[in-house]
């Protein structure tokens, strides 16, 4: 059973490469569902319980590319689905001290602080212009990411991952 999930994960890797993952938003959910199932299966087979309050952070020495809606390749240092964050440490422009907290907070349920899509924006408490804040959940502010707002802390404390 674990081999099935591992094969599905390997199928998302860039053709002919073991050093890069390439994904679209459409197949990101499948990737994380399969990765999560593989993790749960591994724990279960080892006789270890799986707790839904665990936040899984995976570091890999691969690169990650996302295909934009315009069909262009764009590197991403991390991708997250609720409860699982994956960091791609081989990307050229990575700042672990800023991006690891950013991805962990995504995993715990915090959205970006800037305007994205109408559907994603409905759940946001506040929306700022991208790159205009020193917030960890902003983009294009790499040199100044250092804060969370009070409402973000409240959301993190209420997350299923907080004990």
């Amino acid at each position: 059973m674990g081999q099935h999930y591992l094969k599905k994960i390997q199928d998302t890797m860039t053709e002919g490469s073991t050093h890069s993952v390439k994904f679209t938003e459409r197949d990101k959910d499948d990737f994380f569902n399969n990765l999560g199932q593989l993790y749960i299966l591994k724990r279960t087979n080892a006789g270890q319980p799986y707790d839904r309050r665990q936040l899984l952070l995976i570091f890999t020495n691969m690169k990650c590319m996302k295909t934009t809606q315009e069909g262009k390749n764009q590197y991403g240092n991390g991708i997250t689905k609720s409860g699982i964050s994956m960091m791609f440490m081989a990307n050229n422009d990575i700042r672990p001290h800023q991006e690891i907290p950013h991805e962990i907070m995504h995993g715990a349920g915090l959205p970006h602080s800037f305007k994205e899509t109408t559907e994603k924006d409905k759940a946001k408490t506040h929306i700022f212009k991208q790159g205009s804040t020193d917030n960890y959940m902003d983009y294009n502010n790499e040199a100044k990411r250092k804060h969370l707002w009070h409402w973000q802390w409240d959301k993190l404390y209420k997350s299923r991952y907080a004990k």
Side-chain angles (χ1 to χ4, degrees), residues 78-90:
I79 54 176
T80 299
K81 182 181 176 187
S82 183
I84 303 174
S85 291
M86 190 166 197
M87 296 296 306
F88 297 89
M89 306 307 282

Side-chain angles (χ1 to χ4, degrees), residues 99-114:
E99 291 160 10
I100 291 172
H102 177 94
E103 293 304 325
I104 289 172
M105 288 183 260
H106 271 318
L110 283 187
H112 288 129
S113 59
F114 52 86

Side-chain angles (χ1 to χ4, degrees), residues 101-152:
H102 177 94
E103 293 304 325
I104 289 172
M105 288 183 260
H106 271 318
L110 283 187
H112 288 129
S113 59
F114 52 86
K115 186 171 180 63
E116 292 180 277
T117 63
T118 306
E119 205 54 41
K120 285 183 180 181
D121 290 339
K122 286 180 183 177
K124 293 181 182 178
T125 307
H126 305 285
I127 300 174
F128 296 87
K129 182 180 175 188
Q130 186 175 340
S132 67
T133 73
D134 63 0
N135 192 273
Y136 269 106
M137 300 314 293
D138 200 352
Y139 273 2
N140 299 329
N141 66 342
E142 286 79 9
K144 55 185 180 177
R145 281 187 194 173
K146 57 185 172 185
H147 292 110
L148 288 179
W149 296 304
H150 187 271
W151 64 268
Q152 289 171 310

Side-chain angles (χ1 to χ4, degrees), residues 63 70 106 123:
K63 291 185 177 188
E70 298 82 28
H106 271 318

Side-chain angles (χ1 to χ4, degrees), residues 14-111:
T14 305
E15 189 175 320
S17 170
T18 58
H19 300 97
S20 182
V21 170
K22 184 176 179 180
F23 73 97
T24 62
E25 285 300 316
R26 192 173 32 163
D27 59 18
K28 181 171 102 172
D29 284 344
D30 285 343
F31 178 81
F32 275 108
N33 288 336
N34 291 320
L35 190 61
Q37 289 298 320
L38 185 62
Y39 175 73
I40 291 168
L41 183 66
K42 181 177 179 170
R43 288 191 63 87
T44 304
N45 287 343
Q48 300 170 337
Y50 173 71
D51 183 347
R52 283 183 28 88
R53 293 174 300 173
Q54 290 177 337
L55 184 60
L56 180 59
L57 181 59
I58 300 166
F59 293 91
T60 178
N61 61 350
M62 296 187 300
K63 291 185 177 188
C64 177
M65 286 185 285
K66 175 181 176 180
T67 304
T68 65
Q69 289 179 335
E70 298 82 28
K72 296 180 180 178
N73 291 331
Q74 178 182 53
Y75 280 99
N77 293 338
I79 54 176
T80 299
K81 182 181 176 187
S82 183
I84 303 174
S85 291
M86 190 166 197
M87 296 296 306
F88 297 89
M89 306 307 282
N91 284 1
N92 296 333
D93 191 25
I94 188 161
R95 295 172 185 86
H97 66 285
Q98 295 174 344
E99 291 160 10
I100 291 172
H102 177 94
E103 293 304 325
I104 289 172
M105 288 183 260
H106 271 318
L110 283 187

